[in-house]
Structures are given as structure tokens and as C-alpha cells.
Amino acid sequence: AITDHYSEGGAGGPKRMGPSQLPKYLSSLEGLGALKGLEVDIIEGIGPAISRRAAEGFQVLIGGLHKLRGISFWDDPTPILDPRRFADEVREALVAAIESGLINVVAHPTWLPESIRADADRLIDASWAEDLARAAASKGVAIEVSGRWRVPGEEFIRVCLRHGAK
């Protein structure tokens, strides 16, 4: 599959393709023999930042949570006063995106913002992993394993496999 970053309504920032660019992007994928895809931003309280109509032209939609409470998950050292609650909100946003029926894959599910990333193993516990794995398995949604970011960890992957998540 070929997937580029996309967000409707400018929610994802300047490095995201928007709706006006979709026709050209789809056309550029014709004849390549690859699945047509997008990585769409997951927006807190909204879900995947793509309309059902726009999603129809694609075989693979990856949902990635890149920002929560205005805190970017990359290059943003903003302190998080309640890391446990923040991690729970990450889980809630990912589960809601899965349940939307719009995405086929969850990108970097255990990646957290810079200020709490070192505590990920403590914040993303067994019940957190179980909730996400159950939701993914029930909707046939795959979990991305990122070699670059080394997420999720092996135990999280085992939980996903135990629940039948891809």
C-alpha cells in the first residue's frame, strides 16, 4: 500500500494533504499495482479526520493520533501534569477511531508525547493493551508495528495476537 498523511479541515497541520489534493493523489496511484491508502489524523472528540465519502476511494486507511489536548506527540516538550489520565485519553481516542469503522490500521498506538514517552511501559499497562486489542480484533483493524519508532513493544503485540488483532 502507498499511504500519505491526510487531514480534513486543516486539523493536522501544514504537512498534511487536504481534500483538494485527493483527486491528484488518487490519480498518481493509478496503475502502480499498490493499494491506495492514507494515514489520517485521529482528532480527539471527532475521530478520523476524513469523511466517509472521501474514504471511499481508498483500500487502506491508517489512523494516527498525533496530537491530544493541543500537545503534539513529536518535538513538543510540554509537561503533562497527569500522565496516567493522558495515556487513558490516548486509549479512548484510539478505541473511538477503531469503532468509527473508518480505519483499517492503527498507527504507532503506544507512541506518547516526549514529556511522558520514557514512562510508556508504566502508563500503557495490561488493561490499556487489552482494551485496544479487543476493539481492534472486533473490527478487524490491524495494529502497526513500527521498526523506526520501536512501538508497540513485544508484550503489547502478544496481547494483540492473543485477542486475534492483526
Side-chain angles (χ1 to χ4, degrees):
I2 296 174
T3 62
D4 201 348
H5 288 85
Y6 173 85
S7 195
E8 286 184 6
K15 295 183 181 179
R16 303 285 188 265
M17 176 180 9
S20 66
Q21 296 157 306
L22 280 185
K24 183 177 179 183
Y25 176 66
L26 273 168
S27 176
S28 73
L29 299 177
E30 287 297 326
L32 296 179
L35 297 175
K36 297 173 188 159
L38 290 172
E39 180 174 334
V40 300
D41 289 313
I42 295 172
I43 308 299
E44 63 187 294
I46 296 172
I50 188 168
S51 67
R52 291 201 182 275
R53 182 174 179 174
E56 290 174 0
F58 297 92
Q59 292 90 19
V60 178
L61 290 178
I62 301 171
L65 185 61
H66 302 111
K67 185 184 279 192
L68 185 70
R69 285 197 218 155
I71 299 170
S72 174
F73 286 28
W74 279 265
D75 302 322
D76 184 345
T78 302
I80 297 171
L81 301 179
D82 187 349
R84 172 72 60 194
R85 182 67 203 134
F86 192 93
D88 285 342
E89 290 174 12
V90 168
R91 177 187 44 79
E92 291 164 5
L94 294 175
V95 168
I98 290 167
E99 292 175 348
S100 75
L102 279 169
I103 63 172
N104 310 100
V105 180
V106 174
H108 42 75
T110 60
W111 188 255
L112 295 174
E114 186 176 328
S115 65
I116 62 172
R117 192 171 304 140
D119 295 325
D121 288 342
R122 180 180 58 81
L123 298 170
I124 298 172
D125 59 17
S127 67
W128 196 105
E130 296 278 338
D131 284 350
L132 197 73
R134 268 194 298 273
S138 74
K139 294 290 189 178
V141 171
I143 302 296
E144 175 194 51
V145 176
S146 173
R148 178 173 186 197
W149 305 112
R150 298 193 174 277
V151 292
E154 287 182 35
E155 185 53 36
F156 186 90
I157 294 168
R158 282 188 198 92
V159 169
C160 291
L161 293 173
R162 198 166 45 247
H163 283 280
K166 302 182 230 173

